[in-house]
């Protein structure tokens, strides 16, 4: 999530709150340093990190020594800090855990080519949806979703798919299949539209949500009609690749 604003932070209140929150406060503070970087930051100064996290500069300097040694961040020649290589390695481990990248990425590229809009694959983690894989369309103006972004389950169409299918019993699931794809117009983000379908695995059941999304202004009724059969077809193809016959069973 992009950092917004430059309001004054009460450092003492932040650090006192850390001591009351439970867990290991040094770890929480180190993670807050990592979490303050955005995709637009080539590097952050000590003052910028302090402003974003609410931590004292002395605390940040102490914690960054460990983060630099372990490769989570790097110290640049101009004394600013940037994200290091270790988070990228961990991200690759996370994606590899699901063993579906070889199936999903080519399909996303093909879906983008045919639909003319960006496509994403989301996985449910706890009470959130996580974007595991993403393929951007060629339009200069598009919705800004990145791999690793967290999605609310009550707005975006993909979030609705994950929320409703993850708890559905067999009979309810059959009824839900008759309602797909789910559509969100200006929900979660007032300027974004999305259409999503479930993806199933033969061994796990619901494994994720496949979505096409873009600016609300481009998702006209005609566009929604044209994307619908494409998305349903790609959702079924991916599910079949993962040894699931859920789409065929829903039609029978």
């Amino acid at each position: 999530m992009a950092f917004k604003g430059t309001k004054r932070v009460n450092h003492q209140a932040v650090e006192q709150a850390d001591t009351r929150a439970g867990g290991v406060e040094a770890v929480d503070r180190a993670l807050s340093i990592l979490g303050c970087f955005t995709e637009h930051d080539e590097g952050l100064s000590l003052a910028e990190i302090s402003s974003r996290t609410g931590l004292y500069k002395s605390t940040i300097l102490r914690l960054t020594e460990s983060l630099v040694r372990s490769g989570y961040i790097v110290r640049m020649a101009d004394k600013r800090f940037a994200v290091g290589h270790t988070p990228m390695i961990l991200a690759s481990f996370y994606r590899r855990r699901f063993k579906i990248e070889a199936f999903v990425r080519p399909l996303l590229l093909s879906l983008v080519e045919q639909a003319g809009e960006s496509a994403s694959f989301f996985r449910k983690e706890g009470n959130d949806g996580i974007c595991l894989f993403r393929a951007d369309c060629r339009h200069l103006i598009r919705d800004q979703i990145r791999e690793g972004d967290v999605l609310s389950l009550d707005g975006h169409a993909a979030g609705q798919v994950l929320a409703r299918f993850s708890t559905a019993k067999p009979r309810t699931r059959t009824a839900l299949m008759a309602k797909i794809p789910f559509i969100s117009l200006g929900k979660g983000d007032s300027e974004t539209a999305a259409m999503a379908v479930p993806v199933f695995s033969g061994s796990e059941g619901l494994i994720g949500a496949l979505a096409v999304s873009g600016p609300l202004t481009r998702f006209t009724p005609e566009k929604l009609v044209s994307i619908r059969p494409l998305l349903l077809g790609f959702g079924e193809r991916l599910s079949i690749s993962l040894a699931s016959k859920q789409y065929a069973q829903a039609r029978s």
Side-chain angles (χ1 to χ4, degrees):
M1 181 179 294
F3 172 75
K4 297 180 180 180
T6 56
K7 63 181 180 180
R8 185 178 298 276
V9 176
N10 186 329
H11 299 83
Q12 184 175 4
V14 170
E15 299 212 2
Q16 286 178 346
D18 282 346
T19 64
R20 297 193 298 266
V24 180
E25 63 183 80
V27 175
D28 289 338
R29 292 172 181 175
L31 291 174
S32 73
I33 293 172
L34 284 172
C36 80
F37 289 89
T38 75
E39 64 175 326
H40 305 293
D41 297 322
E42 294 183 1
L44 294 178
S45 68
L46 187 61
E48 288 172 322
I49 295 175
S50 178
S51 176
R52 294 186 182 188
T53 62
L55 298 174
Y56 287 117
K57 293 179 183 179
S58 58
T59 300
I60 296 168
L61 283 173
R62 186 172 66 252
L63 293 172
T64 52
E65 289 298 324
S66 296
L67 292 172
V68 168
R69 281 198 302 270
S70 55
Y72 283 94
I73 63 174
V74 294
R75 185 180 287 108
M76 303 166 69
D78 60 5
K79 297 185 179 180
R80 291 185 301 163
F81 296 94
V83 176
H85 67 279
T86 300
M88 181 174 65
I89 296 173
L90 293 177
S92 70
F93 293 163
Y94 177 81
R95 287 195 296 265
R96 204 175 304 159
R97 187 178 117 207
F98 303 109
K99 301 178 181 178
I100 58 174
E101 183 169 6
F103 297 102
V104 177
R105 285 208 186 276
L107 184 140
L108 287 180
L109 292 173
S110 183
L111 179 55
V112 168
E113 187 68 26
Q114 295 185 46
E117 297 292 349
S118 300
S120 311
F121 180 86
F122 295 89
R123 172 89 176 186
K124 188 174 183 291
E125 287 283 333
N127 295 320
D128 297 309
I130 307 295
C131 179
L132 283 187
F133 309 107
R134 167 79 172 185
D136 285 327
C137 66
R138 297 178 182 178
H139 295 292
L140 293 178
I141 299 176
R142 54 179 179 256
D143 62 322
Q144 299 300 313
I145 296 177
R146 303 159 300 174
E147 294 183 0
D149 276 356
V150 178
L151 181 76
S152 169
L153 298 184
D154 60 0
H156 192 284
Q160 296 177 41
V161 167
L162 295 174
R164 298 182 69 178
F165 276 89
S166 64
T167 58
K169 295 181 179 179
R171 285 188 179 181
T172 305
R173 179 176 292 177
T174 300
L176 286 174
M177 288 296 290
K179 298 179 180 180
I180 62 171
F182 288 1
I183 299 172
S184 58
L185 301 175
K187 292 183 179 179
D189 182 338
S190 61
E191 298 180 354
T192 299
M195 181 180 285
V197 296
V199 176
F200 302 96
S201 160
S203 59
E204 296 183 43
L206 178 73
I207 197 171
L210 180 65
V212 172
S213 58
L216 184 60
T217 53
R218 283 207 300 267
F219 274 64
T220 62
E222 294 77 16
K223 181 97 173 206
L224 292 171
V225 169
S226 68
I227 291 177
R228 184 179 186 278
L230 280 175
L231 189 56
L232 287 169
F234 276 91
E236 181 167 12
R237 278 174 52 188
L238 184 52
S239 296
I240 290 173
S241 298
L242 299 172
S244 172
K245 298 180 180 179
Q246 183 66 51
Y247 276 79
Q249 291 170 353
R251 289 195 299 268
S252 62

